[in-house]
Amino acid sequence: MALVERGQLGGVCVNTGCTPTKTMVASARLAYQARRGAEYGVRIGPVSVDLAAVRERKRAMVAGARANYASRLGQDGLDLIEGEAHFTGPKTVEIALTNGGTRQLSAPLIVIDAGTRPKPLAITGAGEVPVLDSTSIMELERAPGALDRPRRRPTSGWSSGRCSPVGREVTIIQSAARLLMIEDEDVSDEVAAILRDDGITVLTSATPVRVELADGGRLVDRSHTGR
């Protein structure tokens, strides 16, 4: 058996999804709890967040997860091939090897697990201003002054959850009538209430139509908003 990997071992979950986002959310949650210490009779003084250190901890967790996967490949009888594959026949793939050259593999069963990647924003002006996606936002050394998140998937919420506790203004823009449309309405409403209680602005039935630079380099988001 063989595993063809064109990027980092572990795919989206290990490298840009579950593992890194939840690692950074854990840091944000700790900062949030520390700021509320006085409510529980614990006084610890001013709380600050070193985002560069948070990022390095995230990188270490991801590297450890990758190493764990790599150590298991041999035990599972998998031959790791680094490169990008494409089909040349019904049961045959050709691999453009990362280190150069090609290799062909044939098998009775070929599983395609292509992963995912952030979709570019289809908003007028988005290509002319700095835009962070769910991957690049995790590589910041310091938090942005404010953050607008067009809501498309769970990582948008995780990004919001990371930035708000470190003292940043966060706005979630949701085109649907409520957050988490696949959940029951009462669950969705409660999540929105929790976010708002944490100082996050939640706009529902809102569609971003244009983004542009204003004076001082600040971004201005023009949206049609229902509420």
Side-chain angles (χ1 to χ4, degrees):
M1 292 189 294
L3 171 65
V4 181
E5 177 59 71
R6 68 178 179 183
Q8 297 285 2
L9 189 64
V12 171
C13 187
V14 166
N15 295 286
T16 60
C18 308
T19 299
T21 54
K22 291 179 180 178
T23 298
M24 297 184 80
V25 165
S27 296
R29 179 170 177 77
L30 186 57
Y32 173 79
Q33 291 176 321
R35 289 197 176 97
R36 297 186 60 198
E39 298 178 27
Y40 297 87
V42 179
R43 302 189 183 281
I44 59 175
V47 176
S48 63
V49 176
D50 183 344
L51 192 57
V54 172
R55 182 189 65 182
E56 291 311 307
R57 176 176 178 272
K58 179 267 299 183
R59 288 176 173 176
M61 293 289 285
V62 169
R66 283 192 204 129
N68 181 53
Y69 271 90
S71 67
R72 290 166 49 188
L73 291 181
Q75 302 173 19
D76 294 339
L78 285 172
D79 178 20
L80 176 62
I81 303 173
E82 297 184 33
E84 184 168 358
H86 69 274
F87 281 94
T88 57
K91 297 182 180 181
T92 302
V93 295
E94 182 176 270
I95 306 160
L97 300 173
T98 301
N99 293 330
T102 61
R103 178 176 172 181
Q104 283 199 343
L105 289 179
S106 295
L109 177 64
I110 299 175
V111 178
I112 303 173
D113 187 1
T116 185
R117 68 190 69 178
K119 182 179 179 179
L121 290 177
I123 303 173
T124 301
E128 302 169 7
V129 300
V131 174
L132 295 169
D133 57 33
S134 58
T135 299
S136 60
I137 196 171
M138 291 188 290
E139 293 303 315
L140 294 178
E141 291 187 355
R142 55 189 177 88
L147 181 69
D148 285 351
R149 295 290 308 187
R151 172 89 184 177
R152 287 202 302 263
R153 58 181 185 148
T155 44
S156 297
W158 294 338
S159 298
S160 304
R162 290 196 301 271
C163 289
S164 182
V166 302
R168 295 302 182 258
E169 177 187 344
V170 178
T171 300
I172 296 178
I173 304 171
Q174 167 71 295
S175 59
R178 57 183 174 87
L179 300 180
L180 303 175
M181 290 294 291
I182 63 172
E183 303 292 344
D184 291 342
E185 188 170 351
D186 58 340
V187 174
S188 172
D189 290 344
E190 186 62 25
V191 169
I194 292 171
L195 292 173
R196 290 181 172 120
D197 285 346
D198 285 343
I200 296 175
T201 300
V202 179
L203 302 178
T204 55
S205 299
T207 304
V209 294
R210 181 176 179 80
V211 61
E212 59 191 37
L213 283 174
D215 293 339
R218 186 177 176 86
L219 297 185
V220 176
D221 173 28
R222 312 292 187 188
S223 301
H224 292 316
T225 306
R227 62 181 180 95

Coordinates of all heavy atoms in Angstrom, one line a residue, residues 5 13 42 76 81 89 97 112 122 128 142 150 159 161 169 173 181 187 206 212-213 217 220 224:
E5 N 1.4 12.0 -0.9 CA 1.1 13.3 -0.2 C 1.8 14.4 -0.9 O 3.1 14.4 -1.1 CB 1.6 13.2 1.2 CG 1.5 14.4 2.0 CD 0.1 14.9 2.1 OE1 -0.7 14.3 2.8 OE2 -0.2 15.9 1.5
C13 N -6.6 18.6 8.7 CA -6.9 18.6 10.2 C -5.7 18.8 11.0 O -5.7 19.6 11.9 CB -7.5 17.2 10.5 SG -8.1 17.1 12.2
V42 N -9.6 35.5 42.6 CA -8.2 35.3 42.3 C -7.7 36.6 41.5 O -8.2 36.9 40.5 CB -8.0 34.1 41.3 CG1 -6.5 33.9 41.0 CG2 -8.5 32.8 42.0
D76 N 1.7 0.6 9.8 CA 0.5 0.4 9.0 C 0.7 -0.2 7.6 O -0.2 -0.4 6.8 CB -0.4 1.6 8.9 CG -0.9 2.1 10.2 OD1 -1.0 1.3 11.1 OD2 -1.2 3.3 10.3
I81 N 4.9 8.4 -0.4 CA 5.5 9.0 -1.6 C 5.1 10.4 -1.7 O 3.9 10.8 -1.7 CB 4.9 8.2 -2.9 CG1 5.2 6.7 -2.8 CG2 5.5 8.8 -4.1 CD1 4.5 6.0 -3.9
G89 N -5.1 6.3 -16.1 CA -6.0 5.2 -16.5 C -6.9 4.9 -15.4 O -6.8 5.5 -14.3
L97 N 7.0 13.5 -8.6 CA 7.7 13.4 -7.3 C 8.2 14.8 -6.9 O 8.7 15.6 -7.7 CB 8.8 12.4 -7.4 CG 8.4 11.0 -7.7 CD1 9.7 10.1 -7.9 CD2 7.5 10.4 -6.7
I112 N -9.3 8.6 -3.2 CA -8.9 10.1 -3.4 C -9.3 10.8 -2.2 O -10.5 10.8 -1.8 CB -9.7 10.7 -4.6 CG1 -9.4 9.9 -5.9 CG2 -9.3 12.1 -4.8 CD1 -10.2 10.3 -7.1
A122 N -15.2 36.2 -2.8 CA -15.8 36.7 -4.0 C -16.5 38.1 -3.6 O -17.7 38.3 -3.8 CB -16.9 35.7 -4.5
E128 N -7.5 43.6 -3.7 CA -6.7 44.9 -3.6 C -6.4 45.3 -2.2 O -5.7 46.3 -2.0 CB -7.5 46.0 -4.3 CG -7.8 45.7 -5.8 CD -8.8 46.7 -6.3 OE1 -9.1 47.7 -5.7 OE2 -9.3 46.4 -7.5
R142 N 1.3 39.2 15.7 CA 0.5 40.0 16.6 C -0.9 40.1 16.0 O -1.1 40.0 14.8 CB 1.1 41.5 16.7 CG 1.4 42.2 15.4 CD 2.1 43.5 15.7 NE 2.4 44.2 14.4 CZ 1.7 45.0 13.9 NH1 0.5 45.4 14.4 NH2 2.0 45.6 12.7
P150 N -16.2 37.0 7.2 CA -17.3 36.4 6.5 C -17.5 35.0 6.9 O -16.5 34.2 6.7 CB -16.9 36.6 5.0 CG -15.9 37.7 5.0 CD -15.2 37.6 6.3
S159 N -11.4 31.3 14.5 CA -10.6 32.5 14.4 C -11.1 33.6 15.2 O -10.4 34.4 15.9 CB -10.5 32.9 12.9 OG -9.9 32.0 12.1
G161 N -13.0 33.3 17.9 CA -12.7 32.9 19.3 C -11.3 33.1 19.7 O -11.1 33.3 20.9
E169 N -11.2 43.7 18.3 CA -12.6 43.9 17.8 C -12.9 42.9 16.7 O -12.1 42.9 15.7 CB -12.7 45.3 17.3 CG -14.1 45.6 16.8 CD -14.2 47.0 16.2 OE1 -13.3 47.8 16.4 OE2 -15.1 47.3 15.4
I173 N -19.7 38.2 9.9 CA -20.7 38.5 8.9 C -21.3 37.2 8.3 O -20.6 36.5 7.7 CB -20.1 39.4 7.8 CG1 -19.4 40.6 8.4 CG2 -21.1 39.8 6.8 CD1 -18.6 41.4 7.4
M181 N -26.3 27.1 10.6 CA -27.6 26.7 10.1 C -27.8 25.2 10.1 O -29.0 24.8 10.1 CB -27.6 27.2 8.6 CG -27.7 28.7 8.5 SD -29.2 29.4 9.1 CE -30.4 28.8 7.9
V187 N -29.9 26.2 19.5 CA -28.5 26.1 19.7 C -27.8 27.3 19.0 O -26.9 27.9 19.5 CB -28.0 24.8 19.1 CG1 -26.4 24.7 19.1 CG2 -28.5 23.6 19.9
A206 N -26.5 39.3 6.3 CA -25.6 40.3 5.9 C -24.7 39.8 4.7 O -24.2 38.7 4.9 CB -24.8 40.9 7.0
E212 N -12.7 48.0 0.9 CA -11.8 49.0 0.4 C -10.9 49.6 1.5 O -11.3 49.5 2.7 CB -12.5 50.2 -0.3 CG -13.5 50.9 0.6 CD -14.5 51.8 -0.1 OE1 -14.9 51.4 -1.3 OE2 -14.8 52.8 0.4
L213 N -9.8 50.2 1.2 CA -8.9 50.8 2.2 C -9.4 52.2 2.5 O -9.8 53.0 1.6 CB -7.5 50.9 1.6 CG -6.7 49.6 1.6 CD1 -5.3 49.9 1.0 CD2 -6.5 49.2 3.1
G217 N -5.1 53.2 6.5 CA -4.9 51.8 6.2 C -5.9 50.9 6.7 O -5.9 49.7 6.5
V220 N -12.5 49.1 5.2 CA -14.0 49.4 5.3 C -14.7 48.3 4.5 O -14.5 48.1 3.3 CB -14.3 50.8 4.7 CG1 -15.8 51.0 4.8 CG2 -13.6 51.9 5.5
H224 N -24.6 44.6 2.8 CA -26.1 44.7 2.9 C -26.5 43.9 4.1 O -26.2 42.7 4.2 CB -26.8 44.1 1.6 CG -26.5 44.9 0.4 ND1 -26.6 46.3 0.4 CD2 -26.2 44.5 -0.9 CE1 -26.4 46.7 -0.9 NE2 -26.1 45.6 -1.6

